[in-house]
Structure formats: C-alpha cells, structure tokens
Amino acid sequence: MNALRRHRKLEAIWASEPGWKGWTSSVNHSDLGRMFLVTAFFFFLVGGVLAMLIRAQLATPDSAFVDAGAFAQFFTMHGTIMMFLFAIPAFEGLAIYLLPKMLGTRDLAFPRLTAYGYWCYAFGGAMLLVALFFGIAPDGGWFMYPPLTGPLHSPGINTDFWLIGITFVEISAICAAVEFTVSILKYRAPGMSLDKMPIFAWYALVTSLMILTGFPPLILGSVLLEVERAFGLPFFQADLGGDSLLWQHLFWLFGHPEVYIIFLPAAGVISTVIPVMARTTLLGYGWIVASALALAFLSFGLWVHHMFTTGIPHMGLAFFSAASTLVAVPTGVQVFAWIGTMWKGRPELHMPMLHILGFFVTFIIGGLTGVMVAVVPFDWQAHDTAFITAHLHYVLFGGFVFPMLAGIYYWLPLVSGRKRLFRLGELAFALIFLGFHGTFLAMHWVGLLGQRRRIETYDAETGWGVINFISSVSSFVMAIGLAMVLVDIIIHSFVAVRGPRNPWRAGTLEWAGMSPPASYNFASLPMVGARAPLYDTPDLANRLAKGEGYLGAPEVARRETLMVDAASGRPEALVIYPGNTRLPILMAAVTGGFFLSILLKLFWLTPLALAGVAALALVWVWQLSARGDQGPQKVGRGTTLPLASEGDRSPGWWGSTFLLVANATFFGSLLFGYAFLWTVAPGWPPAQWLAPSWVELAFGIGAALAAALAQHLSARRNRAGTAPMVALAPALLATVATAVVFGALLLRLPPPDGHAYAATLLILGAYGLAHALLVGLMQGFLILQVRRGFTSPQRRAGFAIVALWSDYLAAITVLILLAAHLPGMIA
Ligand code: HEM
Ligand SMILES: [Cu+2]
C-alpha cells in the first residue's frame, strides 16, 4: 500500500461527517479540541467585555454608569467566566488537541467522553450566559460565600444559576481529567517510557490529577448550598448547627489548587516553547517534573491563606503562612530551569517568545506580591482591597494568558498549515503588555491607599480618581491589543499563505504528522527512543506516512490505536475506538435536563432525567460489547497483541479507577464536613441522635461486604470457564439488601431541616443509596450481558469494572453506617 492510498483509507475511517452534522457527531479529538478552544476564547471575550464595563464604571468617582446590582453581577460573572468557562476549558481544549499528537497516538482514551464533556461545558456555559442576558446572573462574588448567598440573603434564582451551572461545567472538567490521566499513562507511542514523555504531557498529567482531587470539594459545597437553598437543610446556618465557614473551607480546598490547575498547563507550554525557541534541550527535565509534582502536593495544604481574617487560631495562621511562602521554592526551581535553558541556548525572538517574556516579567511580580500577602499581618491590611485584585491578575494573566498567547502563536502553524502574513502580533503584544501593567500596577497602588475590591463607586474626596482613570484607560489599551490578536488569528486562518511543515524545527511528535493534521494523526505509529524523536530521525514524518510504524496497514475499517505499559511504553494491547455518534450530545442534553429541573424547581422532571441518563449510559456501554472472542491481532512490525477489551485491565477499568479517585475525594470532603461541623460549629451536639441499631449496622456492612465478595467470586468463576451466574445473582441480591439498609437509614432520620447533623446524615445516606443503586444497575447489566453471550473467559472486562465499584460501595457503606450509628451508641 503506498502512502496516498493509506491516507485515503485512513481518512475514510476517521473522518467526521461533513458540515454542521460533523459538529454534533464528531468524537475526534482534533475537532473537539478546536471546539473547546474556540468556545473558551469566546467566553474570554465575554469576560473581557464585562471587565471593560467594570473599569468604565470605576474610571471616575461617583460614577453612575451602572448601578450597584448590575455591578455585582458584572464582577461576579467576570471572575466566574474567566476561571471556570475560560481558563480551565482553554487548558482542556489545548490538551485535547495536542496530547494524542504529542504522545504519538491517534486519539484520546475515550473519544465519546471528550464529546460529552464538550457538550456539558457548552450547555452549562449557555445557562450562565442566559442568566447574564436576562439580568438574573449570580451576584455574590466568584467565591459565593454564604450567608450572603444563602436562602435568606439571596432568595432569587441568581445564585442557583451559579451553583447548578458551574457544577454542570465541572462534569466536563472531571471527564477531561479522567481522560487525560488514562491517555497519558496508557495511550502513548510504543517505546515512549515515562521519562521520554514530552514535558507538556507531564504537566497535563499533574494538572489532571489535581482536577480529580481539587474539584470534588467544590462540587460538594455547591450541592450542599443548593440543597440548603432549595429544601431548607441547614449546612451553613449557625443557628441550626451549620457553619458558613464550612463553605469557605470547601471552596478554598478547591480554589487554591485551582490556581495551580490554571498555572501548570501554562508552565507546560512554557517548558515546551522555550527550548525550541532557544534551539536547545530543556534544562533539568527531572527537576521540573519533580517540582510540578511538589507544587501539586503543596497546593492542597495552603487553602487557609484565603481565610487569614476569619479568626483562625494562631498556630493555624503560622502553619499556613509558612506553607504559603514554601510554594515559592518549586515555582522558583521551574523559573530557574527556564532561565537556564535560555542561557545555554541561543534564544530567537519569534512571536511566541515575546509572550513568554511577558509571562516572565508579569508572573514574577505576581509571585512577589503573593509572598507579601502570605505574611499574615500584611494580609490583614491588604485583604479585600484592590491590591489583592491586582495580585491575582498578575498571577492569572501573567501565568495563564501570556503563556496561552505564546502557545497559540507557537501551534497555530501546525493547526492551519500556514504562515503569518502581517506583523500585527508584535504591535498587539506591545499594547497588551503596556496596557496590562498600566491597569494593574495602578490597582496595587490604589489598593494600598485603601480602595476595597468589589465597590461600585467611591467618593471624589478619596483622591483615587486619577489612579483609577489611569487604570481604566490602560485596560482599554490592553483590550485593543487583545482584539488585534483576534484579528491576527482570523487573517492567519483565512488569507495567509501555506507554510513549511515544522517551522520552528521542534523535536516533538506533534510536528511529525501532516499540517494541518489528518483526522487520524499518524498513518502509522512511531517507535520512540528519545524525548525529541524528530531530532534523532529527521525524516520520521515520511517514514510514518509510508507505513513503517505500527498499525500502518488499515485492512479492516475500524479506528485503531495501541495501549502501552504505563512505565516502559511497551505495547500491550490493540484498542478499537467507537466511531462518530450523537450519543454524547444527546446524553449531555438529558444531563442538562436534570440540572434544569433543579434550577427551575420542576422536581417531577428530576427522576425522569436521571433515568434517561442511566439508560443512555447503558446504551453507551452496550455498544462496546462484542459477541465472540477475537484473540490476538496483528499490529504491524511483526507484533501481535490482544484486544484491550479482552482482559482485566480494559480502558474502562482505568477510567473507573480514576473516576473513583474523584468520587472518593468527594466522599472524603463530605466526611470532613461532618467532622468540621461537629467540632467547630456552634449548636452541637444536636438535640436528637439517630436511634442507633446494631442490627442495621451489622446487616448493612455484612450485605455490602458479601456483595463485593460475590462479585469477585463471579469474576474468578468466569475466568475459569465455570458459570459466573451462581455468584452474580447473589451479588446483586446483597447489593439490593445494602440499598434497603440505606433506605431504612434515610426513613429513620430525625427531621433533616432541624439540625445540620440530620441534614449531613441525609446526604451521607443518599450518597450510599445512590451508589448501591448504581452498583445494582451495573450487576443487573452484567447479568444481562452474560445471558446474551457477550462475555466469555476472554471477554471479561466488565467483571473487573463492576468489582471495582462494588469494592468502593463496601468501603463507603462501612464508613457511612459507622458515622450514622456510632455517635448515638456512644451517647
Ligand atoms: C482581560 C483583562 C482583564 C481585566 C481588564 C480584568 C479586570 C478586572 C477587574 C477590574 C476586577 C475587579 C472587580 C472589583 O473587584 O471591583 C476583576 C476581578 C476578577 N478577575 Fe479580572 N480582568 C481581566 C482578566 C482576568 C483573567 C484572565 C482572569 C482569570 C483567569 C480574571 C479573574 C478575575 C477574578 C477571579 C476576579 C474577582 C472577581 C470577584 O471579586 O468576584 N480576570 N478583573
Ligand atoms: Cu491560594
């Protein structure tokens, strides 16, 4: 087969449907990555317009351009959009687009999940836009502190839009994080061991693990606050055993890691671009990986520095202050590694490099003011002033927007296959840089003079007018610069001329395919032996196109790639992907129906929507099952490999594992909340405990353990070729018994709107019941598959996945039942 025929054949297998139809049915990572990026930058535009409105209002004292209510919506929506609808999705889009190309594979681990995540993001974001359009947008500040956002002080629907819309959007972040983790660990080019991975993949891996452990506390907080608002269960109300500080803990448990979730991918871009621009290799690859990991780890121990003024005990203040200054160390290691890389190379000042320099100046100033506010007495003065707003923009704009602009200019030739026509970008950079520093240096200054953040106006006597005016004018200069970048990109995409294949002479694999990239990325998969394969094998692109790598002979019309051993990159299995489908968008729409039903209080719709999601999920999984064993397959270069779906460690098993990591963090945060209220909140112990029952406790724990044991037994029997049903049916029965125990617990609770204790137990019990039902559903599904002949000793992936979930159920059942019954027994 020659290169052209191979290309035509692969294109026929991988192409998306033409036109708008393709948008709704594509599961291809290049399409979805672009859609993510375009949507994210659209939201950047909306957030930017809001920022302009804020600055216009603040430009002069006693301004009446917008009223206080609208102003509150503007700054809340600006912060919310920038953090949740721009920064995180922009990272997701970039990583979705780039990772498979950099890792030398054909798609991400779960293509349909990529699409589902995108549509959840699009629909959730649209909900918030609708709220903004109708003037009922959230207005409690981007961190939504109760009691301000509680049912008493914010009775309108505004806050619900935030809690529900953002939770909807977070689903897409969790989907992406699961997908990136599995893809980076298991879907790489053969031979690419962990230490040969492109540095961007390391950063994406660390970021994904942080999303999995950082977002669940916020999701929990949002659920609790929404339940408090909709049903009156008191979690944050001090007079009923709640505590509004619980929200602050849950929020910042997410919020601080969030800033690293935003910074680390940007650092990944910087670590990728600098060596190429300096015509050398990255200095201290191992050190950089270690410091990214250290940052991730440390960032979970810092959240209290956002709460220095809430009356935290002195020991706590000292600890979190010290921990906060400590983060400067791993950040410093990375900055010095970048400076060292430029030092040992010969930096060339191309467009991407300008924005990298913008990053250096801005981010380092932001880091320095960060160390200042980590010092408690200083923070007591600066807290809630414009100084903080200035600091956070130096870090976020410096640490994210500049690197993203560098990344755009760096990868644009790859995406478009063209080169730039005009030198608009240079002028745009100058305007952005000057405008940014004008805006926010001024805000530091006026903050130190005492201007509080989030105020809609100030008196002329304060003397802040001039400084604010400088700030506002500068912000318009910056806006013009950003608009010019947009124009530059549009011109580039439509009128510029064809460019060379690898204009920066980079060494990583994304430059080894066609440009613009083909839907299948690589005509055959490379065998990787170095960190920069294109430096060792300059003609790699041609050799891959000629089919010299793996999977270069597309005989059967199916989308294929390889799964490798996580550490060594040794090929392990052949993966067959699903093709184009509208299932993801449909499922996201039904998921949206669920969220809408809560937002609009149409509670009859809620169970219907949930059932719809469950039914679609079953169709989703059903499509993966096959009748008949396929056995080992030829993958080229004289190798045969088993199918990934035949065996214990299928892609679904890996996905479930990391999904459970996020789930366990959610559960852990819930237990933390229970313990926090118990020990810190006023109004404890509650007047009435749940009447404890040894029988229920023992029966529930016994049933959940039995279900898990029977599930494992069924897997073993299936593998040995004996009938698995003998163990599967009892497993299902035991799971149902577990569900009954949770049901009984819920029915016997003291009134949950009377005290935070009963309210928390209600959430714990509902969580347990939901999981018991879920595992029961999975077991029922597996039984159906066994009966229909969709399993065999070889096709056994489903058994391992359900066993994972039933183990999890057993663990949480033990903890929930102990948390429910022990207090009453001791009292
Ligand atoms: C495009 C240029 C930007 C300008 C001119 C700008 C301007 C502002 C201003 C003036 C405020 C303060 C509102 C007040 O407290 O009175 C603000 C708040 C904020 N900005 Fe920006 N910003 C920009 C970009 C960004 C970016 C890229 C991010 C994050 C990735 C961001 C995140 C935030 C957050 C989280 C707040 C706090 C909102 C709140 O207090 O609830 N901003 N911004
Ligand atoms: Cu922080």
Side-chain angles (χ1 to χ4, degrees):
M1 195 183 299
N2 69 15
L4 191 61
R5 266 203 60 209
R6 180 171 302 101
H7 166 69
R8 293 228 173 96
K9 253 192 142 156
L10 282 166
E11 195 60 43
I13 298 173
W14 284 84
S16 305
E17 290 178 57
W20 66 270
K21 275 181 159 176
W23 289 26
T24 53
S25 68
S26 174
V27 292
N28 185 289
H29 78 98
S30 293
D31 289 345
L32 287 158
R34 271 194 305 255
M35 286 156 73
F36 253 105
L37 282 168
V38 169
T39 315
F41 276 90
F42 166 74
F43 277 113
F44 183 60
L45 199 75
V46 178
V49 169
L50 289 170
M52 295 301 99
L53 292 172
I54 296 173
R55 279 306 341 158
Q57 163 70 13
L58 292 177
T60 50
D62 304 312
S63 159
F65 176 57
V66 293
D67 63 50
F71 190 82
Q73 294 191 16
F74 289 173
F75 70 71
T76 302
M77 285 301 283
H78 164 74
T80 302
I81 286 179
M82 289 298 191
M83 301 300 273
F84 295 103
L85 302 179
F86 161 61
I88 302 290
F91 154 64
E92 288 164 20
L94 192 69
I96 287 173
Y97 188 83
L98 284 178
L99 276 177
K101 299 182 175 62
M102 286 186 152
L103 296 171
T105 184
R106 283 180 177 155
D107 207 330
L108 290 164
F110 308 106
R112 293 178 302 175
L113 197 64
T114 325
Y116 177 66
Y118 173 77
W119 293 111
C120 285
Y121 161 50
F123 294 156
M127 271 166 75
L128 284 159
L129 280 186
V130 167
L132 190 61
F133 186 77
F134 287 105
I136 44 172
D139 52 5
W142 87 281
F143 34 70
M144 285 282 139
Y145 283 172
L148 174 63
T149 52
L152 289 177
H153 302 290
S154 294
I157 199 173
N158 309 47
T159 305
D160 303 309
F161 268 110
W162 195 97
L163 296 170
I164 291 167
I166 292 302
T167 303
F168 195 9
V169 172
E170 312 252 88
I171 294 183
S172 86
I174 300 273
C175 291
V178 168
E179 175 140 74
F180 295 156
T181 312
V182 178
S183 303
I184 294 168
L185 289 177
K186 299 298 292 178
Y187 288 66
R188 304 195 300 261
M192 187 187 279
S193 50
L194 280 183
D195 61 329
K196 295 202 183 71
M197 270 196 333
I199 191 77
F200 182 80
W202 270 110
Y203 276 106
L205 178 63
V206 175
T207 308
S208 305
L209 291 173
M210 289 183 74
I211 291 180
L212 291 180
T213 45
F215 278 30
L218 177 63
I219 298 181
L220 172 68
S222 305
V223 170
L224 296 186
L225 187 51
E226 186 52 37
V227 169
E228 172 170 313
R229 292 174 55 85
F231 305 108
L233 306 201
F235 297 102
F236 305 108
Q237 295 171 20
D239 48 341
L240 294 174
D243 191 337
S244 59
L245 273 191
L246 173 61
W247 170 270
Q248 294 202 19
H249 281 290
L250 291 176
F251 187 89
W252 290 113
L253 212 49
F254 144 82
H256 189 81
E258 157 94 345
V259 302
Y260 290 90
I261 291 170
I262 291 176
F263 170 62
L264 285 174
V269 172
I270 297 164
S271 299
T272 308
V273 174
I274 287 185
V276 177
M277 292 293 135
R279 310 243 48 83
T280 178
T281 52
L282 186 63
L283 180 75
Y285 177 94
W287 283 93
I288 290 194
V289 171
S291 58
L293 284 165
L295 258 187
F297 183 76
L298 279 177
S299 71
F300 283 96
L302 305 183
W303 79 95
V304 173
H305 67 204
H306 297 271
M307 302 165 63
F308 280 158
T309 56
T310 56
I312 301 284
H314 268 94
M315 264 312 281
L317 290 183
F319 174 82
F320 284 102
S321 173
S324 302
T325 40
L326 200 64
V327 218
V329 177
T331 318
V333 169
Q334 292 175 71
V335 171
F336 282 115
W338 294 326
I339 294 177
T341 306
M342 290 193 283
W343 197 279
K344 85 183 168 89
R346 280 177 292 109
E348 295 168 4
L349 207 58
H350 299 295
M351 219 20 247
M353 205 56 193
L354 283 181
H355 285 285
I356 299 269
L357 293 180
F359 152 79
F360 269 112
V361 174
T362 314
F363 187 74
I364 288 173
I365 297 178
L368 291 178
T369 52
V371 177
M372 286 164 77
V373 291
V375 177
V376 176
F378 184 88
D379 186 64
W380 281 342
Q381 301 303 317
H383 186 77
D384 260 351
T385 66
F387 186 89
I388 298 294
T389 323
H391 155 71
L392 73 89
H393 284 86
Y394 265 77
V395 197
L396 288 171
F397 202 99
F400 190 75
V401 180
F402 277 124
M404 279 307 273
L405 291 175
I408 287 178
Y409 278 107
Y410 180 75
W411 280 297
L412 204 55
L414 171 74
V415 180
S416 67
R418 296 155 195 260
K419 65 180 182 207
R420 283 198 310 144
L421 200 58
F422 305 119
R423 301 206 152 258
L424 204 55
E426 281 78 355
L427 180 60
F429 167 75
L431 293 182
I432 296 171
F433 186 82
L434 294 175
F436 176 84
H437 285 273
T439 311
F440 291 105
L441 271 178
M443 280 174 70
H444 280 116
W445 182 14
V446 80
L448 287 180
L449 290 178
Q451 179 172 331
R452 300 196 352 86
R453 70 191 283 194
R454 297 178 175 171
I455 50 167
E456 84 280 10
T457 192
Y458 49 90
D459 281 343
E461 291 99 84
T462 55
W464 301 335
V466 180
I467 313 177
N468 273 300
F469 190 72
I470 296 175
S471 173
S472 296
V473 170
S474 305
S475 74
F476 279 87
V477 173
M478 164 167 48
I480 295 170
L482 287 166
M484 281 169 70
V485 171
L486 189 67
V487 173
D488 199 22
I489 293 172
I490 292 176
I491 294 180
H492 175 103
S493 322
F494 291 108
V495 295
V497 279
R498 277 210 78 72
R501 186 205 284 257
N502 181 359
W504 313 114
R505 287 171 291 148
T508 38
L509 283 175
E510 77 268 29
W511 302 97
M514 298 202 297
S515 174
S519 53
Y520 51 84
N521 286 344
F522 301 99
S524 62
L525 301 188
M527 174 77 200
V528 172
R531 251 174 232 158
L534 283 177
Y535 291 157
D536 292 4
T537 326
D539 63 338
L540 184 65
N542 290 333
R543 293 168 69 166
L544 294 180
K546 280 193 223 143
E548 287 180 23
Y550 292 91
L551 298 177
E555 256 114 46
V556 198
R558 57 185 194 190
R559 301 185 180 186
E560 302 176 321
T561 198
L562 294 181
M563 215 164 149
V564 299
D565 173 65
S568 68
R570 189 172 33 77
E572 232 176 36
L574 173 69
V575 177
I576 298 169
Y577 286 122
N580 300 330
T581 162
R582 287 201 180 75
L583 195 57
I585 186 172
L586 186 64
M587 189 151 136
V590 180
T591 313
F594 166 74
F595 284 108
L596 272 181
S597 73
I598 300 175
L599 180 68
L600 303 176
K601 310 246 175 317
L602 303 172
F603 294 121
W604 54 270
L605 187 64
T606 315
L608 287 181
L610 269 183
V613 173
L616 289 171
L618 292 183
V619 175
W620 184 300
V621 184
W622 190 264
Q623 290 178 349
L624 293 174
S625 27
R627 273 212 176 96
D629 299 343
Q630 309 233 11
Q633 310 272 316
K634 286 205 184 75
V635 298
R637 296 176 70 109
T639 316
T640 49
L641 291 176
L643 276 182
S645 54
E646 295 183 350
D648 290 318
R649 299 287 179 263
S650 61
W653 185 88
W654 285 94
S656 288
T657 303
F658 289 106
L659 188 58
L660 283 174
V661 169
N663 197 350
T665 317
F666 181 90
F667 181 64
S669 311
L670 185 54
L671 289 182
F672 162 81
Y674 190 42
F676 176 85
L677 289 180
W678 194 303
T679 47
V680 177
W684 283 68
Q688 191 190 356
W689 300 106
L690 167 83
S693 150
W694 281 109
V695 182
E696 260 183 57
L697 182 63
F699 184 71
I701 292 180
L705 290 179
L709 273 178
Q711 185 59 44
H712 280 279
L713 192 67
S714 76
R716 187 176 302 172
R717 289 185 63 92
N718 172 64
R719 206 176 167 156
T722 44
M725 217 52 143
V726 185
L728 257 185
L732 176 58
L733 210 66
T735 306
V736 172
T738 315
V740 170
V741 172
F742 281 122
L745 171 71
L746 288 174
L747 288 178
R748 296 199 310 111
L749 282 180
D753 52 357
H755 195 275
Y757 160 76
T760 315
L761 276 194
L762 180 100
I763 300 291
L764 277 168
Y767 180 84
L769 179 62
H771 278 77
L773 293 177
L774 183 67
V775 171
L777 203 64
M778 288 180 166
Q779 286 166 331
F781 181 76
L782 193 56
I783 289 177
L784 199 67
Q785 286 206 311
V786 172
R787 305 208 39 174
R788 291 285 177 83
F790 283 106
T791 60
S792 75
Q794 239 183 71
R795 279 168 290 133
R796 55 179 188 263
F799 286 92
I801 295 174
V802 181
L804 209 55
W805 285 88
S806 65
D807 286 350
Y808 183 74
L809 174 65
I812 60 165
T813 305
V814 172
L815 290 171
I816 294 173
L817 291 181
L818 285 180
H821 289 272
L822 273 191
M825 285 173 184
I826 293 167

